[in-house]
Amino acid sequence: MHKMPEQILLGHGSGGRLSQDLIKNIMLPAFQNQALAEMHDGARLTINGTKLAFTTDSYVVKPRFFPGGNIGKLAVCGTVNDLAVCGAQPLYLSAGFILEEGLSMAEFRQIVASMAEMAAAAGVEIVTGDTKVVEKGAVDGIYINTAGVGAMLPGVQIAANRVKPGQDIIVSGFLGDHAIAVMSERHGLTLPAQIVSDCAPLNKLIQKLLTEVPEIAMLRDPTRGGLATTLNEIAVDAGVGVMLDENLIPVRPEVQAVCALLGFDSLYLANEGKVIVFVEKELSEKVLTIMHQTETAGAACVVGTVTEKMSGQVVLKTKIGGLRLLDMLSGEQLPRIC
Amino acid sequence: MTCKAVNLHITGMIQGVGFRPFVYNLARYWGIKGWVSNTARGVDIRAEGLPASLDAFIAALKSQAPPLAVVDTIAVNHCKPGGYTDFAIKPSGNSEVKTALVSPDVATCPACREELLNPADRRYHYPFINCTNCGPRFSIIQDIPYDRRATTMQQFTMCPDCQAEYDNPANRRFHAQPNACPACGPGYRLVDTNGRQVAVRDQDVFAVAKSLLAEGAILAIKGLGGYHLAVNAKEEAAVKRLRTRKLREAKPFAVMAGSLAAVKLQCNVDTKEEALLTSQARPIVLVKKGADYHLADSLAPGNPYVGVMLPYTPAHYLLLDEEDMVVMTSGNVSDEPIAYQDKDAFERLSIIADYFLLHNRDIHCRTEDSVVRVVKEEPYFIRRSRGYVPAPVRLAQPLPPVLAVGGELKNTFCLTRGRQAFISCHIGDLANLSTYHSYIEAINHFKKLLALSPEVVACDLHPEYLSTKYALTLGLPIIPVQHHHAHIAAVMAEHHLTEPVIGLAFDGTGYGEDGTLWGGEFLVADLKGYRRSGHLGYLRLPGGENAIREPWRLALWLLKEIYGQDFINLNLPFIRQLPAGWELLLTAAEKGVNAPLADGAGRIFDAAAALLGVRQVITYEGQAAIELEQAAQGANGRVLPYDIVSKNGQLILDYKPLFAGLCHALQQETAISQLAADFHITLAAAACEVARKISQATGIKKVALSGGVFQNITFLTQVVGMLMQHDLIVYLHRQTPANDGGLSLGQAVIAGERSR
Ligand SMILES: [Fe+3]
Ligand SMILES: [Mg+2]
Ligand SMILES: [Zn+2]
Ligand SMILES: [Zn+2]
């Protein structure tokens, strides 16, 4: 296989191919165990006969505040959603803070308040935590780590190997809002229309879905790397192909306009309040009906199907009917046109 | 006098090209006894006869070889006479090494054409007439050794008449593998988009097809290496309709003419172009429109050149009368690969074509038409495919077996065997799913035809090229090759250069060693390595790849670089016509948001095209630069200011003064054609000066030119002329395209050299 770079690159944290390399080549061999090997967003554990899900995530977002949220809101929603897509009911969270000397107390208060608000909205409790302060310059304001445990919902089995040809792929709403909101704030860009992050807890929606449609095969939240990267991972894990239809991909016109101007591909943009559902065709109407009754998933729609052919590949049927490979990217998108 | 005896071993392109019957007849002529036989390595001959006859026989093997044969080597071993009493063609042996070369597809020969049009011939109007001197080869071969059973002709059993020809060494069709006739071979039929027969084989399919074309209908025609879309080239409405349905806004269409005379009525054709047009490869040749040019306006809008080819299959002769001109463009929707399989073609082309002219011989290997122009009296490839592939490029040195996987767009790959480099057909854009699949199939097909398993893989440095990712899956040692080093090495390989040269790689955007995008490079290179001795100044690509599709973004960035925020006060049409959102784009680019650094010469042409109002948004690759070249026609350029600065031991060509000069002149309302010409000559003069400085510093006199920008003939001839004026020796691509179609050859020789 290809050579690993000798130093950590930014790309190793981008959630793309380099991150995968890091996990597969360094972490997995060192930490190897059954739960980790499943490579899901969270580990599924059985303790004294109780099935639990356990996950952790660190938040280093720049800027700390952005339209539609802040680093604290993200830290709670992200971990809650990771538990939810495991098929669990999130229960308890931990919060670890690494603070930069000099961080404004008002800001910190606001961040903590958002965390409390989101925890309440998601119905979870933040039950333990830790705080470290480091010298000015050692971190950028504040980094947060959250870990969470949840109870597996009975009778559901979310797993890549349940993804089968013929299933529909549903996305719960507009793509790319979060990435564009954060990007514009980070660089101080004034967009023609305000774009707000979709950051939200999905556990109530997912619980409802799994209760009413326990046949759902797979769930995943398309965060870093976006829909294209997430589907690539699933296609490889499940040994199936994915066919997306460009005409069906939900993107807000104002996000599409920014993407067209600045050259972003909404299929690769991060989301923080979206879920991808894999379900048998006959059940997709039922899933959509449930989603459409909620505010977070009002724009949910089928975006593609699972195919037997093209195993491990994600293919986009373009507006003119061509079929294009949507590859997993290792880092930033660099032009390939010579 | 006593008889002498020799064993001859001949290598080259000598199978399936009538070589054995030629040997047989030659032996009879000189009274030679013995035998001839095909082997997997080539052809073996046992020859016995009088010494003088034997010498004449051996000499004639090379000098009088049939038109399609290429004799590389004749090894002569003397032996004891065996007392043979006749000369025979022995059946092929089955040895394990398969190194005989497969021939490219060849245009219908004059003898076959005569029979085709002769009412008394049994193949009168038979659209699959062929012989050992002509016909399909590469496109129908499934495996080696080349034999009917290993071609898509296997499903047709020869009738007794055809079989007799096939078995008769004196016949032109002796062992002509695709031999066929109306009684036993494939046939054409004409159907509408619902699959209903409009005309069947026994009726005159071509007469009906002809009248449909005359009426302006669009025909999907199954040909030699794929489907064409055809429409009457003289009917503007018909050509326009094809454009709309094919979603091809402006990219020129190629035309097939019924005869050379018909081409000459419309275009100026010199003797070199004529030779190319009528060569057995029958490429599309770019020729200048003449004074009496009157083909449809939208065929090659604004372009002083038009791509023309002559019929190369019997079906073409049946479809076109001598005076006819028919658009023959690849059977696809814009940007898709050409269709070659019937089911797929029907699905994809029925939204474009009104009728399908089909035949029932399968195409095994998709091959698009080659595109060539004449530069400085010699062929210069735009696309090397049908008629040329799989003939190898001969190398200076034998190399270990290398697979070079090529680039991303305009992809070709290359396999080396000894001193031969086999470059694939034009494959295209790998991100297209079916192109990607055909890429992998074609690599495996080539490995099989060449009986080759590569020991080393060469790929581009770009981590996101699908070819690079494919290379990584092969489990072989990988040699990554910098894009522009590969471009220059391709020229070196063609000309057998091994000593260092000054390489001007003027290109679009290729991955540089430092992670920036290169493409305006002055390299001092040999096949092992290179030094970046100079390059064009950098600019940013606001919006990444979108800046390549929308050149106005590049011009905007340059204006801001030159004038700061004041650029907005320039009195330029370009400024007044900036699209909404440009402020946001500029701010984002300044902050480095998706605005990679690039120094590609192609991007500088794009920026100039946008600034001069020639083109702001492209609809096909290279369009802005092509239209800028068109705009420069007829004006004499003046050299505007430019700068060459030395930085960290590299010469940086600063073109900002040139753009400032253009802006200044634009405000004086200087004619666009003048400024387009100024731009060309200034960049040429500047490039030449950098090359000269490098030559002075290094003592190197040889300069190799490569990269897609050198498809711009105005610029190319200017650069060549200026370099030659300064006593530099200039090398151009002659066997592979200057664009990324030639990249794989360069990758292969570099990797071969490094792994030797
Ligand atoms: Fe290139
Ligand atoms: Mg996570
Ligand atoms: Zn012939
Ligand atoms: Zn026959």
Side-chain angles (χ1 to χ4, degrees), chain A residues 1-3 17 183 186-192 243 258-264 310 313-315 318 320-338, chain B residues 247 334 336 408-409 429-433 436-437 462 464-466 469 472 483 507-509 511 515 517 541 543-546 548-549 553 581 584-585 587-588 591 593-594 596 621 740:
Chain A
M1 282 309 288
H2 53 291
K3 242 183 23 207
R17 196 177 294 274
M183 183 276 306
R186 179 185 305 160
H187 298 288
L189 302 179
T190 313
L191 304 183
M243 176 74 78
V258 173
C259 284
L261 189 71
L262 302 187
F264 294 117
M310 313 173 301
Q313 288 178 324
V314 179
V315 175
T318 66
I320 65 161
L323 300 181
R324 299 194 65 80
L325 276 167
L326 276 187
D327 208 42
M328 196 184 280
L329 299 175
S330 34
E332 51 185 322
Q333 258 178 321
L334 269 180
R336 287 187 259 179
I337 301 174
C338 180
Chain B
L247 302 177
S334 180
E336 291 280 296
E408 174 89 351
L409 304 180
D429 177 359
L430 293 186
N432 184 290
L433 182 71
Y436 185 75
H437 287 164
H462 200 309
E464 301 296 349
Y465 276 7
L466 289 162
K469 293 178 180 176
L472 291 168
H483 191 93
D507 204 23
T509 29
Y511 198 82
L517 296 161
L541 308 183
E545 223 162 64
N546 283 7
I548 302 174
R549 296 188 193 99
R553 295 160 179 257
L584 174 57
L585 179 71
T587 316
K591 303 200 169 177
V593 178
N594 200 20
E621 220 194 313
D740 282 7

Side-chain angles (χ1 to χ4, degrees), chain A residues 171 175 222 225-232 244 249 267 269 271 276 303:
Chain A
V171 161
L175 297 177
L227 181 67
T229 305
T230 307
L231 290 180
N232 262 289
L244 290 180
I249 308 287
L267 292 168
L269 293 181
N271 310 280
I276 309 170
V303 292

Side-chain angles (χ1 to χ4, degrees), chain B residues 48 101 142 205 271 298 328 400-401 496 578 601 639 666 686 688 739:
Chain B
E48 301 186 6
L101 297 183
Q142 295 160 320
V205 167
T271 53
S298 62
M328 281 280 186
H496 294 189
L578 277 172
V639 177
L666 269 174
C688 182
N739 61 38

Side-chain angles (χ1 to χ4, degrees), chain B residues 419-480:
Chain B
R419 285 189 55 194
Q420 297 163 328
F422 298 90
I423 301 156
S424 72
C425 298
H426 166 80
I427 306 250
D429 177 359
L430 293 186
N432 184 290
L433 182 71
S434 59
T435 306
Y436 185 75
H437 287 164
S438 74
Y439 170 68
I440 302 200
E441 277 164 26
I443 290 176
N444 292 327
H445 187 52
F446 263 65
K447 282 190 203 164
K448 194 159 78 173
L449 291 187
L450 298 167
L452 205 69
S453 27
E455 291 166 7
V456 176
V457 184
C459 65
D460 197 88
L461 281 184
H462 200 309
E464 301 296 349
Y465 276 7
L466 289 162
S467 54
T468 305
K469 293 178 180 176
Y470 169 73
L472 291 168
T473 66
L474 295 175
L476 290 169
I478 297 222
I479 300 188

Side-chain angles (χ1 to χ4, degrees), chain A residues 48-308:
Chain A
N48 292 337
T50 308
K51 288 181 177 173
L52 297 175
F54 178 41
T55 190
T56 184
D57 217 332
S58 299
Y59 299 83
V60 298
V61 64
K62 245 189 302 185
R64 301 185 286 278
F65 289 81
F66 48 83
N70 60 47
I71 190 169
K73 180 175 179 182
L74 212 53
V76 172
C77 296
T79 295
V80 163
N81 293 346
D82 278 352
L83 289 172
V85 296
C86 291
Q89 159 75 353
L91 296 171
Y92 302 106
L93 260 52
S94 73
F97 298 94
I98 299 178
L99 307 176
E100 186 188 14
E101 175 191 13
L103 178 74
S104 124
M105 198 59 84
E107 215 177 274
F108 184 56
R109 237 184 244 119
Q110 217 181 321
I111 289 168
V112 170
S114 293
M115 293 176 76
E117 191 190 330
M118 280 306 114
V124 299
E125 289 175 310
I126 300 175
V127 292
T128 182
D130 172 58
T131 307
K132 297 282 184 304
V133 180
V134 296
E135 286 152 30
K136 204 165 184 54
V139 299
D140 191 6
I142 175 170
Y143 294 163
I144 304 176
N145 173 277
T146 50
V149 284
M152 292 300 294
L153 295 172
V156 299
Q157 201 202 333
I158 304 301
N161 62 19
R162 292 189 57 224
V163 172
K164 294 284 180 270
Q167 287 172 350
D168 270 341
I169 301 166
I170 294 169
V171 161
S172 69
F174 297 110
L175 297 177
D177 298 3
H178 175 74
I180 297 294
V182 168
M183 183 276 306
S184 64
E185 188 66 26
R186 179 185 305 160
H187 298 288
L189 302 179
T190 313
L191 304 183
Q194 206 193 34
I195 291 162
V196 175
S197 166
D198 60 352
C199 180
L202 295 167
N203 57 318
K204 292 195 171 156
L205 168 70
I206 289 173
Q207 193 177 348
K208 190 155 189 232
L209 284 174
L210 290 177
T211 314
E212 293 184 31
V213 195
E215 298 90 342
I216 286 173
M218 180 68 180
L219 295 168
R220 189 66 76 78
D221 50 341
T223 53
R224 279 183 318 187
L227 181 67
T229 305
T230 307
L231 290 180
N232 262 289
E233 287 167 12
I234 295 173
V236 170
D237 290 349
V240 296
V242 164
M243 176 74 78
L244 290 180
D245 186 338
E246 191 175 22
N247 284 312
L248 302 179
I249 308 287
V251 183
R252 288 181 204 280
E254 57 270 36
V255 170
Q256 192 47 53
V258 173
C259 284
L261 189 71
L262 302 187
F264 294 117
D265 184 343
S266 53
L267 292 168
Y268 289 92
L269 293 181
N271 310 280
E272 288 295 342
K274 295 295 168 337
V275 61
I276 309 170
V277 179
F278 288 74
V279 71
E280 294 300 332
K281 256 193 173 44
E282 310 82 71
L283 294 170
S284 46
E285 215 33 69
K286 199 169 167 191
V287 169
L288 286 174
T289 309
I290 297 167
M291 285 182 154
H292 291 161
Q293 286 161 1
T294 68
E295 209 177 305
T296 41
C301 60
V302 173
V303 292
T305 52
V306 180
T307 62
E308 192 166 351

